[in-house]
Amino acid sequence: MLNYRKDLEKMPSYDGVEKDYRIKVNANESTLNLPPLVEERVINRLSYVAFNRYPNEEYYSLVEQIAKNFSVDKSQILIGGGSSEIIEKIFHAFGGGDKTIVYPQPSFSMYKIYAKAAEAQAAPFDLDEKFDLNVDEFIKKIREVNASLAVVCNPNNPTGNALTIAQVEKIAASIDCAFLLDEAYVEFYGRSAVNLVAKYPNLIVARTFSKAYGMAGARVGYMIAQAEVTKMISKTFMPYHMNTLSLAAADIIYQMRDEFIPRIQMIVAERQRMAGRLSSLDGVEVFPSNTNFILIRLARAAELNEHLESLGIGVRYFSPDAAGLKNCLRISIGTRLENDEVFSTIKNFLEGR
Ligand SMILES: *Cc1c(COP(=O)(O)O)cnc(C)c1O
C-alpha cells in the first residue's frame, strides 16, 4: 500500500468524461479554432521560439500588453496555466485548516474541489430558485462565517446569469476578506469589474483565454489585483510555471483580440436565437444567459442527454446530486449549423419523433 497524503482518496475529481462527439457543446469551448489570420501569425511566432531559454521575455511581454490594456501596473498581473491554475492558487493562498471559503451554488463545480485541495472549509451559499444571488444575504453569510475568501463567477457557470457591476461593487465594499471574481465568460457579457480593482484592495479578477479567445488547449489565464495582493499570491506559484509556447501564442492572440469581436457577436446572436427557439418548446425552462451557453431544465433531461449522446451530440448533463441542477442540461453555443441540429434533435425528441 502506497502511503498517500491523508484524505487524497476521498478527494472528488472533475467529472469531465470526454467522448469523441460529432457536435461538442458540453464544455463551453469555442467551437471554431483560431481565425485563419491569427493562426498564421501564431504559427509564425512559434517558428522562432527560444526553446532553450526559460520563459522570461514571453511572460513579461504578455503581462505588459494586459497591463496596458487595463491601465494598471505590471506588478498587478499574474499569468497562469488557464484561469484554473490562478483560481486554484488563490484558494491555496487563502486556504488552510482554519479558513473558510464562501461561494454560491450552483456555480463552477471546481470551487468545491479547490477548497478541499486547499484544506479549507467550503461554505456554499444557495442561489434562489431562479439562480439569482441574494447579495445582502451573501454578504451576511461571508461575515457570519468570517470567510478568508469569497468567490463569485460572473456571469455564472452553469446558470448563465450575471450580477450587475453595482452588485459586484456592493460585495467588494461590504466585506473585508479577499473577493475573487471569476470572469471566465465576461466577453459575452461585456461588463467587467477590472476597473474596480483600483478602488478595492480585496478584489481579485480572474480572466481566461480559453472561452472567447478559443485557446482552451494552450492553457492561459491571468489575474488582476492590487500589487500587494498579486505579490502574495505569486508566492504560491512555481518559478517558470508557464511554458513559452503558450505564452508566445497568447501574446499574438492578445495583440489580435479585435479579430475575435465578430465571433463573440455571432455567439451572442446565436445564443439569443437558441434561447428563443428552446423557449418555444413545451416543458422546457430556459434560463437567461449572458455567456456562450444556455442552461435548460426539463423533466426528461437524463433521457434527452442519452438520446443526444447516441447521436454524437455532447451536452453537459448534471448528476442528480449536483445541488440545484436537477434535470438541467447546459448547452454551449456552436456554429449556426450545429445549433440548428442540436435544436431540431431536441424538438424531435420531445415531440416523440
Ligand atoms: C472554463 C472556466 C474557467 C477556466 O478555464 P481555464 O481554461 O482554466 O482558463 C474558470 N472558471 C469558470 C467558471 C469556467 O467555466
Side-chain angles (χ1 to χ4, degrees):
M1 268 271 277
L2 298 182
N3 195 6
Y4 289 108
R5 183 174 180 149
K6 185 168 154 276
D7 290 340
L8 184 62
E9 205 182 349
K10 281 186 257 157
M11 196 56 199
S13 31
Y14 184 65
D15 56 347
V17 197
E18 291 293 322
K19 296 203 184 101
D20 204 5
Y21 296 116
R22 190 168 51 81
I23 297 185
K24 191 171 182 307
V25 285
N26 64 338
N28 301 341
E29 297 147 318
S30 165
T31 196
L32 300 168
N33 205 337
L34 299 177
L37 188 65
V38 179
E39 188 180 14
E40 197 185 304
R41 291 267 310 273
V42 167
I43 304 284
N44 178 51
R45 174 66 188 85
L46 297 183
S47 69
Y48 58 91
V49 152
F51 282 98
N52 56 324
R53 301 291 177 201
Y54 283 113
N56 274 312
E57 264 175 60
E58 296 82 1
Y59 187 94
Y60 290 105
S61 168
L62 182 57
V63 163
E64 203 167 322
Q65 272 205 78
I66 296 170
K68 206 166 152 201
N69 180 43
F70 292 107
S71 307
V72 299
D73 194 78
K74 285 177 281 190
S75 60
Q76 294 183 252
I77 291 167
L78 271 178
I79 297 172
S83 54
S84 295
E85 188 187 21
I86 301 266
I87 297 165
E88 189 242 347
K89 296 301 187 194
I90 293 170
F91 274 62
H92 194 75
F94 294 98
D98 56 339
K99 302 290 200 292
T100 302
I101 299 177
V102 178
Y103 52 84
Q105 77 176 8
S107 189
F108 192 33
S109 59
M110 290 305 297
Y111 298 152
K112 181 180 170 182
I113 297 175
Y114 293 144
K116 261 227 152 63
E119 296 186 345
Q121 301 298 319
F125 175 86
D126 287 327
L127 297 175
D128 69 17
E129 69 287 346
K130 290 202 145 129
F131 295 137
D132 285 327
L133 178 72
N134 182 324
V135 169
D136 292 329
E137 290 297 316
F138 185 60
I139 291 167
K140 209 165 116 190
K141 166 125 185 178
I142 294 163
R143 290 179 178 158
E144 258 167 28
V145 302
N146 191 20
S148 60
L149 173 66
V151 184
V152 169
C153 180
N154 200 51
N156 191 35
N157 176 13
T159 61
N161 56 344
L163 296 178
T164 63
I165 297 304
Q167 287 177 304
V168 170
E169 179 159 15
K170 182 167 189 190
I171 299 170
S174 309
I175 61 177
D176 295 322
C177 69
F179 176 26
L180 168 60
L181 193 68
D182 180 352
E183 291 193 334
Y185 299 95
V186 79
E187 291 84 359
F188 305 102
Y189 178 43
R191 271 153 281 188
S192 171
V194 168
N195 290 338
L196 296 178
V197 164
K199 194 166 167 194
Y200 297 99
N202 57 343
L203 181 61
I204 306 166
V205 179
R207 302 276 293 253
T208 181
F209 282 75
S210 295
K211 307 285 161 59
Y213 297 108
M215 240 182 81
R219 316 301 305 123
V220 183
Y222 58 95
M223 58 152 268
I224 303 179
Q226 292 193 6
E228 306 78 72
V229 179
T230 304
K231 191 174 169 193
M232 285 299 287
I233 291 167
S234 72
K235 291 175 191 279
T236 64
F237 283 83
M238 291 179 297
Y240 305 122
H241 60 283
M242 294 298 295
N243 72 79
T244 305
L245 292 172
S246 295
L247 289 167
D251 199 45
I252 299 293
I253 282 165
Y254 205 70
Q255 278 174 34
M256 300 183 79
R257 61 190 180 282
D258 286 354
E259 300 291 324
F260 292 82
I261 294 172
R263 287 182 168 198
I264 294 168
Q265 287 169 343
M266 183 279 281
I267 297 283
V268 169
E270 278 295 291
R271 178 189 77 210
Q272 317 285 47
R273 191 175 71 93
M274 277 294 271
R277 296 182 92 189
L278 290 165
S279 306
S280 73
L281 299 175
D282 262 351
V284 176
E285 185 179 1
V286 179
F287 294 94
S289 172
N290 299 281
T291 62
N292 64 344
F293 58 82
I294 296 176
L295 188 76
I296 63 173
R297 182 184 276 146
L298 72 167
R300 294 164 69 201
E303 220 186 311
L304 172 57
N305 178 51
E306 277 182 29
H307 179 68
L308 289 166
E309 202 155 78
S310 74
L311 296 172
I313 301 175
V315 300
R316 180 79 153 89
Y317 171 70
F318 296 92
S319 80
D321 54 314
L325 295 172
K326 192 160 181 268
N327 291 330
C328 286
L329 296 177
R330 190 193 65 196
I331 307 168
S332 311
I333 302 300
T335 60
R336 191 176 175 96
L337 277 177
E338 288 173 328
N339 301 333
D340 281 344
E341 185 170 341
V342 171
F343 176 76
S344 59
T345 308
I346 295 174
K347 186 168 190 277
N348 290 340
F349 170 83
L350 292 174
E351 291 172 356
R353 276 185 281 158

